[in-house]
Structures are given as C-alpha cells and as structure tokens.
Amino acid sequence: MSILVDKRILVVEDEAIVADMLECFLTELGAVVIGPAATVDSGLRLAKDANIDAAILDVNIRNEKVAPVAALLRQRNIPIVFATGYGESAEIDAAGATIIGKPYTKELVEAVLCSCFAR
Amino acid sequence: MDKKIEVGATPPVTSGEMRTDELAALYSLTDSLYRANTQVEILDAALNTITAVLGTRASILLFDDAGVMRFKAWRGLSDHYRTKLEGHSPWQPGFADPQPILVEDIASTDEPQWVKAAIKSEGICGLAFIPLVSRRKVIGKFMTYYPEPHQFQSSEIDLALTIARQLGFSLERLRADEELRESEERFRLMSEQAPVMIWMSDANGGCLHLNRMLRAFWGVENTELRDFDWQRTLHPDDSGAVERAVMGAITGRKGLSVEGRYRNSEGVYRMLRTTAHPRFSSSGEFLGMVGVNIDLTERYESEAALRESEERLRVALAAGRMGTWRYDLTTEQQSWDERQYELFGLPPSEPPSRDLFLSVVHPDDLSFVQFDLDDLPDGESFLDSEFRIIRPDGATRWIMAHALARSGADGKPVELIGVNFDITDQKENEEGLRLLLAELNHRVKNTLAVVQGLAFQTFKDGQATIEARKAFEGRLIALATAHNLLTQSNWENASLESLAMDVLDSQGVDKGRLAIHGPQVSLSSKAALALVLVLHELGTNALKYGALSNDSGGIDIRWHIDSARILRFMWREYGGPRVSPPKRIGFGSRLIEHAVERDLDANVMLDFASGGVVYTIEVPLHKLMDLPYEHTCR
C-alpha cells in the first residue's frame, strides 16, 4: 500500500489541462486532491484552513507569484513541491522545498511526494 | 763685437736739422705707401726712399711662415750673395723691441769667417740692420750696405728708424687688410655652402647679402639684391608681425627671433624661423643685421599631423567613453586620465595607484583584476577582464578593461597600458535577454505540459495503451530536457555530454551503469533536439529490453572526431539479455534511424548484435554545430 493513499494534496495550478492531468495522477496514486486552485486567492483560502498533508504549487499563477501560499503552508509545516516551467534552475525561494520541472511524469510526482512524507 | 754699434734702449733723438731732400724723400715715401696696395709696391716704395737717402745698395727681408728671414726686395745685390746669406738674422721671429745694429766694418766683427768672406766678396764693408716691427715684435729688417767702413751719423739713424716705422706700419696694414679679405672670403664661402639660409642687411633692412640657399629660395641673383624686397614675399597674415619684429630689432639695435611664412620661387609658402643679430663697426656704428633662416615647414606640418592624430585619438576615446591608464610595473607608478577618474567616480585630486583602483572594485570581483606579474608572458600580451565597481556614490557599475602588457629590452613586461569602459548597459541588456529566454523556455515547457495533459486526456479510457501514453510522455520530457540545456546557453548550444547525461537521468537510468566518453562537442539547437529524441528512444529500449532491463548490463557511449572533422558516435550495450531484432518496426525505431539521418545528413547504423545493441552515427561536425563548413574545417 502506497504511503500516498488518502494523503490530502493541495494543488495550485492555473492551467486547467495540466491541473486535470495532475489530479488524475494523484487520484491514481490513491491521494485526495484539495483544489485544484486556479488563483493565488483561492490557493490562500485553502492553504489557510483546509486539511492538507502536502502541496504541489505552480510557481506562476496568472502572472502572480505563488509565494504567499507557500508562506502560509510553511507556517503550518506542510511540505511543498514547486512545479515550474523554469526547470530546476528556477530562481525561486524554494527554502528547502523540492522543485520539479514541467512537464513531469506521474512517476516523478509519486517519487517527490513519497520523499516528502519519508522525511 | 767691438766696432759694431748697438743703439741703446732709447732711440737717438731726432735732430732738428733734417735736410730738405730727406724731408722730400720721407714725404714721397708716405705718399707712395698710402697708395700702395700690394707688398711689392710697398717694398718698392721703401727701397726707393732708402736708396735715395741712406745708401745706394739696400735690401728688405721678412720672416716667412717658417720663421726664416728671406730677401723680399733689394738693390745692388748679387744672386749669389742673397742665396748665401738668406736666413742669416740677428733676431728670432717675434723678438720684442729689437734695436738697429750698425756695423762700421764687417772685418772687425766676430762674425764667422764665411760670413765675412761672403760680405767682402760682394764688395761690402759697412752695413746696417734696421729692424721692421709690427706690434712691437720683429717681422723683418732692412739693410743698407756701404763699400767702405761707414761712420753712422745720428741723423742717419733717425732717418732709418723713421723709414722702418713707416714701412712696418704699412706692412701691418697690408696684413690686416689681407686678413680681413681672407676672413670675408672665408665667411662668404662658408655662407654660400651652408645648408641654412644666411643673410646680411644694411642699417635700413635692405639686402646686402643672401647666401646661395636663400637666393635659391627666393629665386634672386646676386645682381638683383639691391632692388629685392623680401617683405613682399611674406604671407599677408604674417607680414605685420614679422615687419614689426624686424623694425624693432633694427631701431633697437638688438637680436631678433621671429617665425613667418614666405613665398618661395615656386610660389609655395614655407614657414621660416629667422634668428638675427645686429652688426656694428669697430667704432660702434650700427651696420645692419646678420641672420639665419631655418625652414620649419616640415616640422610644423608633422607637429600639426601629430596634434591632429592626438586629437582624433582623444575624441575617439571620448566617443567610446573610455578611460585610459598606464601602470609602470617596475616603479608601480600609475597614471590615469580624466575620464578614468570620472568612470570610477573618484576625484582627480587623488593620486592614482593600484590600491585606489582596488578600493573601488567590487569585493566579489577582486579575483578578476588581480594578476601575478610572473604569469605575464614575455613580449606583448593582452589582458582583458570584466568586473564590477562600487563607486564612492554607491552606484555599482560594470567595467570592461582591455590592457596591453609591453616588454622592455629583455622581453620582460615593464608596463601595462589600457582602457576601461562602462558596460553596465550591455550587462543589463544581457541580463534582460537571459530573463527573456528563461521566460520563453518557461512558456515552451508550460506548453509541453499542456500538450502532455491533452494527450493524457485524449488517450485516457482505453483510447490508447498505457505504454503508448508513457512513450509519448517520455518523448515530451526528453524534448523538455534539451530545452533546459539550450536555455542555459541562451539557445546557442548544448554540450553532447550533458545532453546524454540529462536525458538518461530523466529516465531514471542509474549513472553507475553508464560510461560516457568523448571530446567536448557543442551542439546547435537543431542537432540537440534531434539527438535528444534518439538518445531517449535508445534509453527506453535499453530499459525495456536491452542492457538496462536486467541488473548487470551497462551502456558504453563514446565519440571521437576524425581528421576529416566527422563525428563518430557509438552507443554500445553490453551484459544485457540476448538480443534479437524486433519483429515490428515501431515509431521508436523509425525515430532512431531517421531523425538524425534526415535532419543532420548523418549515416546511421542500428545493429541488433546478439551481445548488445550497437548504434552508430557518423555526421560531419559542421552539421552539428550550425557553423559554415569552412569554419569547422580548420
């Protein structure tokens, strides 16, 4: 049984088609998707109160930085995975969080989430 | 010397009684000497007087240049006698204040016998030696000869001395005239031949003399000097200043140095510098000027050319906003120009030094500007660097420095000369471009992610096998890998080694099972995108069926460049399960065989050898590098 089963994963991704695919990946892995949020505002609302085990955040949401959402999650000690088209060399304040480049595979998502929970 | 009379230091006082014929002879002598122009004329006039008043036989002798007393003129002497006694003199040349020697009878002197004999045989008994003096020194003598013993009267002696004094004077005047003529001739010769222009003017500034060079300059003949007006050749712009200077020198009787342009005989203006001095007669009368003209035209022109070239350099450096500096490596002295100070925001009052320079350089960039003297090669070498400075006003600027190390006689570098300029704008543009490319890459990869999402949704629900979906996804991610590498180099190139490494890494291949060897090859974006798909398919096959499908196999990837600039690339699998050729040619195989073949004009061979797949590519290097063929061919 995967460690990811029933884990509640917040998804913030403004590209609907990518968000749908990630939702499918996570569902196939047995996790529960919170969101997906397509704006920073809705991401903030979820990050504040929702019951979340980990988050996969797109770095740029409709030309806004996702950083405030990440900050809230950090306060709650929720592990974060950044997904970005900039790739691993992206200039973001990852502060120890994992960064994955787009496009990514289900296997990669599974691997980074597993390592989040293994810590 | 009994009978020989030496007249004492005080010459005998002239008696008041002089005979009229003697006076007439002296008057005639004075008149003749005054008219005489040559030595012969002078001596002839003197002999006339001597023989008229003192005795019929006489001679005049003068020292020659060798100091030998020679007969110059005579009356009533045989050749034999003169030959015999020539050189016989009671005085040495230059002897001061000589006195007449009066011999009453040669027989009663203690002269050598041969002298007495020679004199006697000439029929001479008494004789007088009257010295000729110039500036108190003896220059010769005149002699009077008598057939009988001769008693010398004091009036006779006075007369002889008066004649001698007159004669001495005339000879002296003649010599002075000759010397003057000679000196003038020497001056004329020197002046004529001198390689400078020499002139002499009268007291009113009119031409008295122009040497050959100056006559040639103006195209005038010696005969035309009287009417020649040099002022008319002056350039109109210079005539005022030159004429004022010349008139000032003439009226003030003083030296002169003035420059001006004069039209020469070819109608061309030449810049002449005139240096002149006043001439005075011995009585102090102003005679005019003597001067030298030197042609400065070439010097003026080369100075003007130099000024022009310096000005051009100055403007060029200003246009390039370049600060220049020099660093003497032996004395450690530096010099900076004004712009160098401006560039660094430093006050020009601060003495330039290495420390002052380093105090402005950004601490993180110090290593870019520090160098070890010993590392400089012998001879000339270039030193270039880019670094940041923090100016005293707090502004951070990017500086580009280009310097040239110059060496001394021993080949060791002795100085650095360089320019600095501000490349902050360029750096900001580069940064802007880099950000733009990063943004572009971001969007491309977002698009790839959307394509992936579309494919995912399209092929879901049994529309395609999971395997097909995975293969598509893998290819998409391989493309994204190539994009990443290209973005890092501003889309200029990607290293073949990084490409192989990254694409296999993205497929989760264990690095321990890979060996990658080959020289650095920078791939163009086109070549990188083609090769990454091939490498991805090979990796996928190896993981599924080949050397990476078990726990023990591995892949050896190596390439080299041969002398014909052909890249030979080989992918060789080993230790995997026994290989058999696939029964069906899928898209993957077609990609492996055709993508590179068609896009890059490569020769490709895929060999399903039983020990492991061997895949080779042969491709001209220039096809991989987007460079003109000739460029890579060297």
Side-chain angles (χ1 to χ4, degrees):
Chain A
M1 204 43 135
S2 166
I3 193 172
L4 300 181
V5 169
D6 292 336
K7 286 285 191 293
R8 300 169 63 81
I9 311 296
L10 170 65
V11 172
V12 180
E13 167 62 67
D14 62 347
E15 196 64 69
I17 292 167
V18 179
D20 273 2
M21 179 180 68
L22 179 55
E23 200 173 352
C24 284
F25 285 173
L26 291 169
T27 310
E28 283 171 20
L29 291 168
V32 178
V33 172
I34 309 299
T39 65
V40 173
D41 275 351
S42 57
L44 280 170
R45 270 198 301 280
L46 291 169
K48 199 172 174 192
D49 309 317
N51 182 12
I52 302 168
D53 296 311
I56 298 177
L57 310 177
D58 184 8
V59 175
N60 278 311
I61 301 296
R62 295 184 188 163
N63 292 327
E64 272 187 82
K65 291 284 177 200
V66 81
V69 181
L72 261 184
L73 294 169
R74 280 205 185 95
Q75 279 175 17
R76 297 176 60 190
N77 285 321
I78 296 171
I80 303 168
V81 173
F82 288 109
T84 171
Y86 292 114
E88 288 81 353
S89 58
E91 287 167 11
I92 51 170
D93 180 15
T98 311
I99 303 171
I100 58 174
K102 287 181 177 180
Y104 44 75
T105 58
K106 185 172 89 177
E107 288 71 23
L108 184 63
V109 171
E110 182 181 13
V112 294
L113 284 179
C114 284
S115 69
C116 284
F117 295 120
R119 276 180 209 163
Chain B
M1 284 204 164
D2 31 342
K3 289 289 173 91
K4 188 153 115 187
I5 299 169
E6 283 259 6
V7 177
T10 322
V13 180
T14 311
S15 70
E17 305 154 42
M18 197 170 259
R19 287 178 2 222
T20 1
D21 60 334
E22 287 171 355
L23 273 174
L26 279 180
Y27 173 78
S28 157
L29 173 65
T30 308
D31 186 57
S32 306
L33 289 177
Y34 176 74
R35 293 173 196 282
N37 284 321
T38 65
Q39 198 183 62
V40 170
E41 286 170 10
I42 288 172
L43 297 183
D44 200 45
L47 269 185
N48 284 342
T49 307
I50 293 165
T51 51
V53 298
L54 293 174
T56 53
R57 301 172 74 188
S59 68
I60 301 173
L61 299 93
L62 296 173
F63 286 118
D64 68 6
D65 291 341
V68 179
M69 193 71 98
R70 301 272 185 205
F71 284 94
K72 287 293 185 183
W74 58 90
R75 300 276 165 82
L77 288 182
S78 70
D79 290 351
H80 174 77
Y81 177 79
R82 292 197 321 274
T83 315
K84 199 87 180 167
L85 285 175
E86 192 155 69
H88 187 71
S89 166
W91 307 288
Q92 294 302 308
F95 184 83
D97 296 328
Q99 298 303 320
I101 297 167
L102 309 167
V103 180
E104 198 182 315
D105 185 350
I106 191 67
S108 51
T109 65
D110 46 12
E111 287 292 334
Q113 204 51 53
W114 70 266
V115 174
K116 290 181 181 176
I119 291 173
K120 192 154 178 90
S121 72
E122 187 72 3
I124 295 169
C125 184
L127 61 168
F129 298 67
I130 311 297
L132 299 175
V133 169
S134 169
R135 299 189 187 103
R136 293 185 57 214
K137 302 279 172 57
V138 64
I139 57 166
K141 63 182 178 184
F142 78 77
M143 308 280 303
T144 52
Y145 310 97
Y146 307 92
E148 305 297 333
H150 189 83
Q151 287 282 342
F152 288 90
Q153 305 302 310
S154 75
S155 64
E156 211 176 4
I157 297 167
D158 288 349
L159 201 55
L161 289 175
T162 306
I163 293 169
R165 204 166 289 139
Q166 288 258 39
L167 179 55
F169 255 146
S170 295
L171 290 172
E172 186 178 321
R173 182 185 56 113
L174 183 70
R175 201 176 62 181
D177 283 354
E178 267 169 5
E179 274 174 3
L180 183 63
R181 243 198 317 279
E182 220 168 86
S183 131
E184 276 177 352
E185 177 64 12
R186 247 198 323 269
F187 167 77
R188 203 189 59 80
L189 262 175
M190 270 164 41
S191 164
E192 280 296 284
Q193 303 305 321
V196 288
M197 294 173 261
I198 298 173
W199 53 266
M200 205 184 281
S201 82
D202 61 23
N204 301 313
C207 280
L208 284 181
H209 164 80
L210 301 180
N211 76 343
R212 195 166 47 95
M213 198 168 167
L214 195 46
R215 290 197 308 275
F217 178 86
W218 272 318
V220 289
E221 299 297 330
N222 263 328
T223 51
E224 300 166 336
L225 288 187
R226 283 270 156 222
D227 303 320
F228 177 64
D229 182 4
W230 60 271
Q231 282 148 322
R232 279 183 42 220
T233 68
L234 267 169
H235 191 283
D237 293 350
D238 297 346
S239 63
V242 172
E243 281 166 18
R244 267 195 305 281
V246 171
M247 287 329 289
I250 286 177
T251 52
R253 280 103 166 93
K254 58 185 187 189
L256 159 74
S257 180
V258 65
E259 289 172 15
R261 283 161 293 171
Y262 298 80
R263 200 177 54 242
N264 68 9
S265 58
E266 290 162 7
V268 179
Y269 281 104
R270 305 285 296 179
M271 174 63 82
L272 304 184
R273 175 188 288 155
T274 300
T275 311
H277 295 281
R279 296 186 297 125
F280 298 98
S281 72
S282 55
S283 59
E285 186 195 355
F286 176 66
L287 297 177
M289 306 289 291
V290 58
V292 168
N293 296 347
I294 295 170
D295 193 329
L296 298 179
T297 313
E298 268 79 28
R299 195 197 299 176
Y300 256 72
E301 282 170 355
S302 66
E303 276 171 7
L306 188 64
R307 272 196 301 276
E308 203 272 327
S309 124
E310 275 174 358
E311 176 66 4
R312 193 171 51 223
L313 183 63
R314 197 189 62 73
V315 171
L317 288 169
R321 293 164 192 80
M322 288 176 171
T324 66
W325 52 269
R326 178 178 177 274
Y327 182 16
D328 188 319
L329 299 173
T330 41
T331 63
E332 308 229 324
Q333 292 285 309
Q334 296 207 355
S335 53
W336 300 3
D337 72 358
E338 208 177 310
R339 202 166 299 101
Q340 169 63 24
Y341 279 99
E342 272 170 36
L343 212 54
F344 278 24
L346 291 167
S349 52
E350 296 230 30
S353 68
R354 182 95 185 132
D355 286 345
L356 182 64
F357 168 68
L358 292 177
S359 73
V360 182
V361 174
H362 193 291
D364 294 349
D365 293 354
L366 282 172
S367 63
F368 301 139
V369 298
Q370 283 166 331
F371 61 90
D372 200 336
L373 266 186
D374 297 336
D375 292 345
L376 288 178
D378 283 3
E380 283 196 346
S381 59
F382 288 102
L383 273 82
D384 301 320
S385 65
E386 280 178 29
F387 54 91
R388 283 166 297 171
I389 57 168
I390 302 173
R391 305 206 310 197
D393 63 8
T396 299
R397 306 294 294 179
W398 275 96
I399 300 293
M400 169 73 90
H402 290 312
L404 184 62
R406 305 211 305 172
S407 55
D410 63 350
K412 298 281 174 225
V414 290
E415 63 172 359
L416 289 178
I417 294 178
V419 292
N420 287 350
F421 49 98
D422 193 312
I423 53 164
T424 310
D425 290 351
Q426 187 185 331
K427 280 283 173 187
E428 280 168 358
N429 287 345
E430 275 173 21
E431 178 61 12
L433 184 65
R434 203 184 61 76
L435 287 174
L436 190 70
L437 276 170
E439 186 58 30
L440 179 70
N441 187 45
H442 170 232
R443 295 198 180 175
V444 166
K445 290 204 289 171
N446 267 348
T447 305
L448 289 178
V450 171
V451 171
Q452 179 194 17
L454 283 172
F456 181 82
Q457 301 297 349
T458 309
F459 301 134
K460 199 161 72 166
D461 309 326
Q463 298 288 322
T465 59
I466 290 181
E467 207 174 312
R469 209 180 74 195
K470 290 268 172 216
F472 176 77
E473 200 174 72
R475 286 161 191 156
L476 211 60
I477 286 169
L479 271 183
T481 305
H483 274 257
N484 267 344
L485 282 174
L486 289 165
T487 306
Q488 282 165 21
S489 70
N490 292 346
W491 273 85
E492 276 162 10
N493 54 63
S495 122
L496 177 54
E497 184 174 346
S498 306
L499 194 75
M501 206 62 138
D502 287 7
V503 74
L504 293 170
D505 188 50
S506 77
Q507 292 176 279
V509 173
D510 177 3
K511 282 195 183 71
R513 298 172 74 172
L514 282 180
I516 301 181
H517 296 290
Q520 170 65 30
V521 176
S522 292
L523 302 169
S524 69
S525 54
K526 183 183 173 188
L529 292 175
L531 275 173
V532 79
L533 289 175
V534 169
L535 290 166
H536 175 261
E537 289 315 314
L538 289 168
T540 305
N541 283 343
L543 284 163
K544 261 194 200 163
Y545 318 108
L548 302 180
S549 65
N550 64 11
D551 294 333
S552 54
I555 306 172
D556 187 75
I557 301 169
R558 58 183 64 228
W559 61 90
H560 68 272
I561 297 161
D562 72 10
S563 56
R565 308 290 290 167
I566 305 279
L567 178 91
R568 295 178 191 282
F569 175 96
M570 178 185 278
W571 165 294
R572 194 177 62 80
E573 297 181 22
Y574 60 90
R578 190 178 169 76
V579 172
S580 50
K583 294 181 180 63
R584 191 178 66 87
I585 302 294
F587 175 65
S589 307
R590 284 208 302 279
L591 202 61
I592 291 171
E593 293 195 80
H594 300 308
V596 182
E597 214 162 41
R598 287 178 187 157
D599 283 1
L600 303 177
D601 286 345
N603 279 326
V604 168
M605 213 174 67
L606 180 59
D607 180 9
F608 293 95
S610 59
V613 168
V614 177
Y615 175 72
T616 55
I617 306 175
E618 292 176 3
V619 57
L621 200 57
H622 71 277
K623 291 280 179 189
L624 292 176
M625 300 176 87
D626 255 357
L627 292 172
Y629 178 70
E630 317 83 73
H631 202 89
T632 52
C633 202
R634 308 234 158 88

